[in-house]
Amino acid sequence: MTKQIPHFINGKHEPGASARSGEVFNPNTGQIQSKVAFASKGEVDAAVKSAKSALPEWSAINPQRRARVLFQFKRLLEDNMDELAQILSAEHGKTIADSKGDIQRGLEVVEFACGVPHLAKGEFTSSAGTGIDMYSMRLPVGVCAGITPFNFPAMIPMWMFAPAVACGNTFVCKPSEKDPSLPLRLAELFIEAGAPPGVLNVVHGDKECVDLLLSHPDIAAVSFVGSSSIAEYVYANASSNGKRVQAMGGAKNHMVIMPDADMERVVDDLIGSGYGSAGERCMAIAVAVPVGEETAEHLMEKLVPRVESLRVGPSQDPQSDYGPLVTAQHRDKVKGYINMGIEEGATLAVDGRDFSLQGYEDGFFLGASLFDNVTAGMQSYKEEIFGPVLQVARAPNFEEAIALPTTHDYGNGAAVYTRDGDTAREFAARVGVGMVGVNVPIPVPLAYYSFGGWKRSAFGDMNQHGMDGIRFYTKLKTVTSRWPSGVKEGSDFSIPTMK
Ligand code: NAD
C-alpha cells in the first residue's frame, strides 16, 4: 500500500480526513512513493487552534528557555543529518551533498535564533524628560503561518519557524506538496527538542489549504516563499485580511564577467551556480553576461566542454553533479523553455533535452543546456526557467551589462567577476537587485544578515532572517513612563519639548 504522509497537529500525526491528497514521486525512478494528505478546513482550523492554545504559555516563558529548545533542536539536526539528507534527497532529487547544504543553511538560522534573548531586546532611555523614562519592547505577533516552496524543503521552513518561535510566536507550516516529508520530520524533532505540542504544526495541501490560512482570523502573520505570481497573490490577499506579510518570489540572476576576470574561476562558479541542484535554486545564476566579444569567445570556449561533461545521475550517487528535476511536469516546463529559446533565435550551444539515464529511464532527468546570443527581448530571457539551463547574453560594455539585471523584472541576486576594485564597487552600488556578489556566484547572505530581493522577487518590506526576521516576527510597543515621586517641586510635567 502507498505510504500516506500525515499532518502534524498539536504534537501528533493526523492522517488527514479529507478526500483530497497529492502524489509524491521518487524523481529518480518516476514512481509514486507516497501520498500526502491535503488538509480540509477542519484540519487547518485544528492546527491554528492548537497553535493559538500553545501561544499564551510559550510567549510568556523567558527567551533563554525558548532558546534552550532551539539549541537542543540544532543538536538533533546535527545528530540526524544523514537521515534527514536521505529523506530530502529522495523526494526532491538533489544530491546528498546538496541536501546536507540545504539542512545546514537552515541550521544556521536556528543558531542565529538561539541568540533571541539578545536579538529581541528592547531599548531604554532613562530621563527622556523630567522624571520620564522611555522604553520599547519587542513582543510576539501571535500565530504565524509559513508557506514554503519545493526547492529548499529544510532551509526555508527553518528561515521562518526558527525566528518565529524564538520570538515567542507559535507556527503553522504549509510545506510544498511535492516534497513534504522533511518539514514534517523537522516538526517531530522540534517536539523532541522540548517544545510544547502546538508550538509548531504542519498541515499539507495546495491552493485550497493556502487560501484557508490567508483568510484565517487567528493568523497574525504570513511568510511565503515561492514563484512570483503566487507570492504576489499571497501578499495581496493576506495583507487585505489585515495580516503582516513577507512574500519572496522568483528570480533571474545575472553574472557580469568583465574582461579582466579570472576565467577559470568564472567557469567553475558558473558550473556550480548554474547547474547545481539542477538549477532549481532561487539564487542560481541563470544568465552569464560576458563584457566584450573577446571575453564572450573566451568564456564559451572554456564553458562548453565543462557543460558537456557534467555528470547527471541518481541523487543518491556521490558521483552525480546533479540529480533529476522535482517532477515530470517541471522537467517538461524547462524543456518548453529550451524550445522557446531556439524559436526565438538564441544559439543552443549544448542541448540536454534528449538525455536519458540507463536504468532510470522513467526518472525526471534533464541534461545540461547552454544558450548563447540570448537577448533582453526574448521571452525565455524574461521568465524564470528554474532548470539546468544557462543563458549567455553578450554585452558590449559595462553599462549595457549592468543594465540587464537592473532593468529585469526580477531582482534577487547578481554577481560581478572582476579584478578591479572600482568596477566591483560601482557594480555593487548601482545594480538594481537585493543581493550582490563580488567574485561570489551565489551571494546568499548568512543567517545573521537578511535574505531578500527587489522588484518581482519580493513583496512586502521585511526580508527573511537576520534582524529583519526578528522585526517581522515581533511587534513593537513603546512605553513612556513618568513617576511623580521622582520629580522635584516646580518641575515641568509636560511632554518633552525642544525648550
Ligand atoms: P510555487 O509558487 O509553485 O509554490 C510555493 C508554495 O505555494 C507551495 O507551498 C504551494 O503549495 C503553494 N501554491 C502553489 N500554487 C498556489 C496557488 N495557486 N495559490 C496559493 N498557493 C499556491 O513554487 P515552487 O515551484 O514550489 O518553488 C519554486 C519557486 O520558488 C521559484 O520561482 C523560485 O525562484 C522560488 N523561490 C524563491 C526564493 C526566494 O527567497 N526568493 C527561494 C526559493 C524559491
Side-chain angles (χ1 to χ4, degrees):
M1 213 180 93
T2 318
K3 190 181 125 200
Q4 302 280 333
I5 300 170
H7 309 294
F8 192 73
I9 300 174
N10 206 27
K12 289 200 294 285
H13 289 149
E14 292 293 341
S18 89
R20 296 182 69 238
S21 64
E23 291 167 339
V24 179
F25 291 88
N26 175 342
N28 290 293
T29 61
Q31 303 300 306
I32 295 169
Q33 56 175 325
S34 47
K35 288 201 165 187
V36 58
F38 281 1
S40 62
K41 181 169 183 323
E43 285 148 347
V44 171
D45 284 345
V48 178
K49 189 169 167 219
S50 126
K52 194 178 172 187
S53 313
L55 187 64
E57 195 187 322
W58 181 249
S59 58
I61 66 171
N62 63 48
Q64 57 274 36
R65 278 186 58 202
R66 290 199 298 266
R68 262 173 231 146
V69 173
L70 287 160
F71 274 115
Q72 190 66 8
F73 177 58
K74 170 182 134 57
R75 194 184 60 73
L76 289 174
L77 292 175
E78 285 161 346
D79 292 352
N80 293 282
M81 181 64 88
D82 289 334
E83 176 221 331
L84 295 172
Q86 289 289 344
I87 296 173
L88 197 163
S89 170
E91 286 184 355
H92 179 287
K94 63 173 85 171
T95 61
I96 296 292
D98 266 337
S99 301
K100 288 187 177 172
D102 186 338
I103 300 160
Q104 178 62 27
R105 277 303 180 117
L107 186 155
E108 289 170 11
V109 178
V110 175
E111 261 170 357
F112 168 74
C114 286
V116 72
H118 175 73
L119 296 167
K121 272 194 314 205
E123 296 166 318
F124 183 87
T125 303
S126 170
S127 300
T130 312
I132 292 180
D133 300 326
M134 192 172 284
Y135 61 96
S136 62
M137 297 181 256
R138 291 212 160 265
L139 302 170
V141 289
V143 177
C144 304
I147 299 153
T148 59
F150 81 83
N151 70 322
F152 279 99
M155 177 183 81
I156 294 179
M158 286 191 268
W159 274 5
M160 299 174 181
F161 76 71
V165 300
C167 291
N169 303 284
T170 55
F171 205 86
V172 178
C173 180
K174 203 303 284 173
S176 168
E177 64 278 33
K178 292 173 190 152
D179 48 9
S181 290
L182 204 273
L184 177 69
R185 188 77 189 105
L186 295 178
E188 293 166 357
L189 289 177
F190 195 63
I191 296 293
E192 202 180 317
V199 171
L200 176 59
N201 305 274
V202 176
V203 286
H204 303 290
D206 54 5
K207 175 176 167 52
E208 212 170 290
C209 180
V210 171
D211 285 342
L212 289 165
L213 292 169
L214 302 185
S215 59
H216 201 293
D218 290 332
I219 288 180
V222 174
S223 183
F224 173 90
V225 177
S227 52
S228 289
S229 55
I230 305 192
E232 190 171 23
Y233 169 84
V234 165
Y235 181 73
N237 278 271
S239 53
S240 75
N241 289 330
K243 303 183 194 319
R244 184 177 282 203
V245 198
Q246 54 176 190
M248 274 58 201
K252 192 91 182 188
N253 307 311
H254 296 64
M255 180 198 281
V256 169
I257 302 149
M258 297 303 292
D260 66 347
D262 173 348
M263 199 52 88
E264 299 297 330
R265 159 119 302 181
V266 164
V267 171
D268 273 353
D269 287 358
L270 278 176
I271 292 292
S273 62
Y275 298 96
S277 210
E280 293 170 323
R281 291 180 181 142
C282 67
M283 287 296 273
I285 292 290
V287 186
V289 187
V291 174
E293 275 308 300
E294 210 178 307
T295 315
E297 291 304 324
H298 193 192
L299 172 71
M300 290 307 288
E301 193 185 302
K302 291 197 173 296
L303 191 56
V304 169
R306 290 288 302 276
V307 175
E308 284 171 339
S309 62
L310 274 163
R311 288 162 308 187
V312 185
S315 58
Q316 262 84 358
D317 181 350
Q319 301 302 316
S320 305
D321 289 320
Y322 70 83
L325 277 78
V326 68
T327 56
Q329 195 191 16
H330 184 56
R331 180 204 49 205
D332 295 345
K333 185 175 164 196
V334 174
K335 269 193 188 179
Y337 276 116
I338 303 174
N339 294 333
M340 184 194 283
I342 298 168
E343 280 159 27
E344 290 180 314
T347 313
L348 188 59
V350 182
D351 184 356
R353 285 173 298 173
D354 292 332
F355 178 85
S356 172
L357 192 64
Q358 208 181 358
Y360 294 88
E361 287 79 3
D362 294 328
F364 309 141
F365 294 94
L366 191 58
S369 293
L370 176 67
F371 273 111
D372 194 2
N373 301 312
V374 171
T375 58
M378 293 177 181
Q379 204 57 28
S380 57
Y381 168 80
K382 291 181 183 160
E383 293 181 20
E384 180 183 41
I385 298 179
F386 219 57
V389 183
L390 181 67
Q391 295 171 303
V392 175
R394 299 176 177 221
N397 53 46
F398 177 76
E399 284 305 320
E400 291 195 32
I402 196 173
L404 288 172
T406 302
T407 57
H408 201 284
D409 279 354
Y410 292 112
N412 232 29
V416 65
Y417 274 60
T418 180
R419 289 183 166 96
D420 182 66
D422 262 358
T423 308
R425 188 169 181 276
E426 172 100 358
F427 184 85
R430 284 177 48 203
V431 69
V433 304
M435 293 170 280
V436 182
V438 174
N439 299 316
V440 171
I442 304 187
V444 177
L446 289 173
Y448 44 95
Y449 282 81
S450 294
F451 181 109
W454 289 5
K455 301 178 281 184
R456 288 192 65 72
S457 293
F459 302 85
D461 46 20
M462 275 189 261
N463 286 345
Q464 301 281 346
H465 61 73
M467 282 315 293
D468 258 15
I470 303 296
R471 287 182 201 110
F472 183 76
Y473 287 115
T474 52
K475 54 188 178 194
L476 196 63
K477 182 179 276 183
T478 308
V479 180
T480 308
S481 112
R482 178 170 65 186
W483 291 97
S485 59
V487 178
K488 309 270 174 308
E489 207 176 321
S491 294
D492 184 359
F493 268 67
S494 63
I495 285 295
T497 62
M498 295 303 288
K499 69 182 176 181

